[in-house]
Amino acid sequence: MTISDIVAMNPDYTINMIKPIIRKLSKLEMVEVAGIAYRGTSIARTFKPTKTAHLVLQDIFQQEYQSFRELFTDNSLLISLVKSEFTKNPEKEEIDRLESILENFKKKTSGGV
């Protein structure tokens, strides 16, 4: 997809708005040049997501979440639930794991009762 293609799909944006976004995403290694496309008499680079883009997003999310978490007191249950979203466990195993997390959280907050 070229920058012009992105603008064509989103008329609220301009090429001058999209170029710095693509540049930033490229620096973060979230997009890469996929090839060259001919558009009439012009040549344009095409971009595609990198194979590691999801990991970069996950890292950014975790960093932002950590900053958010520092605003609150003990959120160990919430952290465990968020971490579970990033795993690829089968459904039954994931449910058992989440139940275990909840049981541990109950014990911790109720003084071990």
Side-chain angles (χ1 to χ4, degrees), residues 8-9 14 31 40 53-54 71 105:
M9 289 175 47
T14 66
V31 297
H54 69 286
L71 298 174
F105 185 76

Side-chain angles (χ1 to χ4, degrees), residues 95-111:
I95 291 169
D96 292 342
R97 196 177 73 73
L98 290 173
E99 286 176 344
S100 173
I101 290 168
L102 287 171
E103 283 301 317
N104 290 336
F105 185 76
K106 284 180 188 177
K107 288 177 186 175
K108 182 178 176 183
T109 57
S110 64

Side-chain angles (χ1 to χ4, degrees), residues 1-26 31 47:
M1 177 173 272
T2 67
I3 292 175
S4 297
D5 294 338
I6 296 169
V7 172
M9 289 175 47
N10 302 288
D12 293 336
Y13 301 118
T14 66
I15 289 175
N16 291 333
M17 292 169 74
I18 300 300
K19 279 183 181 181
I21 294 169
I22 294 292
R23 199 173 307 121
K24 177 76 173 185
L25 292 173
S26 182
V31 297
F47 298 91

Side-chain angles (χ1 to χ4, degrees), residues 2 35-46:
T2 67
I36 303 294
Y38 294 95
R39 300 284 193 252
T41 58
S42 301
I43 299 173
R45 292 178 292 172
T46 59

